[in-house]
Structures are given as C-alpha cells and as structure tokens.
C-alpha cells in the first residue's frame, strides 16, 4: 500500500513547513499534517499518517520508545515500573 506513495514528496512538503529553531515534535507534526493534506491525491497515505500518529502516541506513553521492534517488551517494562512505583 505505502509503496504507492512517495516518501520523498511527503518529506519535501513537510520541510516547507519548518523554520529555524523548530522542535523535534514539531517536525513529526509537520509530517503528519503533510500526509493528511495529500490523502485526497494519494489515498494510500492514510496508512503512513496512521503509522506516524501511532509512533507519536507510543513516544508519549513510553518514554523509552524508539522503534516498534521490542515494543511489547518496552510496554511491559514501562508499566511494571509504574506499578512498582505506586506500591
């Protein structure tokens, strides 16, 4: 599905919305907005946008999140630490 979308075009469009001093989370948001604005022209971009949003949510919920590899372990470890801290 996503192979029908141009990651380069999406990145180029996101770069147009950046400025000096932009924060990392704003870069991610620019990518999400760029994907959203292009969905009518490239319907498969909704998969990419969903993946970008999901990655953002993971980083908010799991501070140690880097990649989806090992996500189950990261999830388990993070919430076990929270449970122990509350006990």
């Amino acid at each position: 599905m996503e192979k029908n979308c141009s990651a380069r075009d999406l990145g180029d469009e996101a770069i147009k919305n950046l400025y000096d001093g932009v924060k990392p989370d704003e870069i991610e948001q620019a990518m999400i907005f760029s994907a959203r604005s292009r969905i009518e022209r490239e319907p498969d971009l909704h998969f990419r946008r969903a993946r970008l949003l999901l990655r953002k949510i993971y980083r908010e919920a799991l501070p140690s999140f880097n990649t989806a590899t090992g996500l189950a372990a990261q999830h388990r470890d993070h919430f076990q630490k929270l449970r122990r801290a509350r006990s």
Side-chain angles (χ1 to χ4, degrees), residues 16-60:
K16 291 177 191 175
N17 296 317
L18 302 182
Y19 54 91
D20 286 339
V22 67
K23 297 175 186 171
D25 59 325
E26 292 173 320
I27 295 170
E28 184 174 56
Q29 197 67 34
M31 292 292 291
I32 293 166
F33 287 147
S34 294
R36 183 178 69 184
S37 70
R38 297 173 60 96
I39 286 175
E40 286 184 17
R41 290 175 286 178
E42 296 180 67
D44 289 341
L45 276 172
H46 72 277
F47 292 109
R48 184 157 297 168
R49 181 172 182 254
R51 202 173 334 282
L52 288 166
L53 283 167
L54 188 57
R55 192 172 71 191
K56 182 178 183 197
I57 292 168
Y58 284 150
R59 271 201 297 281
E60 289 175 7

Side-chain angles (χ1 to χ4, degrees), residues 71-82:
L71 180 61
Q74 291 175 22
H75 184 269
R76 182 190 61 242
D77 294 345
H78 177 73
F79 289 102
Q80 282 178 352
K81 288 178 191 175
L82 286 178

